[in-house]
Amino acid sequence: MSKTSPQTYSSLQIWLHWLVAALVFFQLAFGDAMGKMGHMLRNRQQPDATTAFMADAHIYAGFTVLALIIIRLVLRFTHGAPEAPAGTKPIAALVAKALHALFYLLLIAAPVSGALVVYGGLGELAGPHHLLKPVFIFTILLHVVAALWHQYGLKDGLMRRMMTSKA
Ligand code: HEM
Ligand code: HEM
């Protein structure tokens, strides 16, 4: 882990943040194709081309998230992350840290549980994998509200930290 906190996120960290966010939105919006595919295969129905394509896309996008999140974690420990903006209450900084840690946990649990369902024969993990959807949505909502509150309520320019690597 870096000993002193950097002033800013690096541009690679910023790119990865938005790329992962876009992929997660895609997974949450179109993940149901995967459930439909499983249902059709179990009922010995031939999946239509769109369902088969979207199910493949779900798997590729999910593994991409896993690869990118490993890179992000490595960067988190080598480059580090800037301290909470000056004036942030210690409890708020702690909650933000916990929420970010929860994100990392979810971003690993989602692809790993999905892969265990498809390739590990652990169909019983399909339920927990589905459950990640509302947990993700709730966490994203809290995260976005917090970001907007910093930007427009506290006016401490926090959003800028995830937009540019210039201090
Ligand atoms: C699926 C969607 C998202 C995920 C999984 C996600 C995840 C994360 C994580 C894990 C961090 C902490 C980075 C670190 O310190 O290692 C972070 C920071 C941040 N995110 Fe997101 N994020 C998402 C969407 C968004 C959106 C939509 C916004 C803007 C409205 C946003 C704004 C920010 C900002 C400003 C920070 C920096 C916070 C700080 O410097 O303390 N994120 N995000
Ligand atoms: C960031 C990664 C991932 C996210 C956020 C995610 C999210 C989702 C969501 C939202 C659903 C649909 C739930 C519903 O029908 O409402 C779903 C279904 C599914 N996903 Fe994922 N997923 C991810 C990665 C993966 C990966 C990598 C695989 C497999 C290699 C996978 C396999 C599945 C399967 C098999 C289903 C259907 C389960 C069933 O109903 O039988 N997922 N996923």
Side-chain angles (χ1 to χ4, degrees):
M1 190 168 333
S2 63
K3 291 186 183 59
T4 51
S5 299
Q7 292 278 87
T8 61
Y9 287 105
S10 70
S11 43
L12 183 57
Q13 282 174 308
I14 295 172
W15 274 103
L16 289 174
H17 172 274
W18 294 112
L19 189 55
V20 169
L23 286 167
V24 169
F25 285 128
F26 175 81
Q27 295 298 75
L28 298 178
F30 302 110
D32 55 345
M34 201 66 205
K36 194 172 164 199
M37 176 88 170
H39 182 78
M40 287 175 125
L41 292 177
R42 278 189 298 276
N43 290 310
R44 296 180 193 287
Q45 288 171 315
Q46 180 69 25
D48 56 275
T50 310
T51 305
F53 176 81
M54 291 308 282
D56 272 350
H58 187 80
I59 293 178
Y60 289 126
F63 280 132
T64 306
V65 167
L66 183 60
L68 296 182
I69 221 60
I70 292 169
I71 300 175
R72 266 185 81 170
L73 278 171
V74 170
L75 289 172
R76 189 71 169 70
F77 285 108
T78 51
H79 177 87
E83 292 289 342
T88 306
K89 291 198 178 79
I91 182 73
L94 197 71
V95 170
K97 271 200 172 135
L99 209 66
H100 293 164
L102 175 63
F103 263 136
Y104 284 113
L105 203 72
L106 290 172
L107 292 164
I108 292 172
V112 168
S113 59
L116 289 172
V117 171
V118 176
Y119 305 110
L122 294 177
E124 61 271 31
L125 286 183
H129 186 75
H130 275 234
L131 203 66
L132 290 175
K133 183 174 178 174
V135 180
F136 251 119
I137 293 173
F138 181 68
T139 314
I140 293 169
L141 279 178
L142 281 180
H143 183 66
V144 170
V145 167
L148 294 176
W149 169 242
H150 272 278
Q151 188 68 20
Y152 299 107
L154 301 175
K155 296 191 174 37
D156 58 10
L158 180 107
M159 292 274 281
R160 209 173 165 270
R161 291 159 47 130
M162 245 339 151
M163 303 286 176
T164 171
S165 59
K166 291 193 185 74

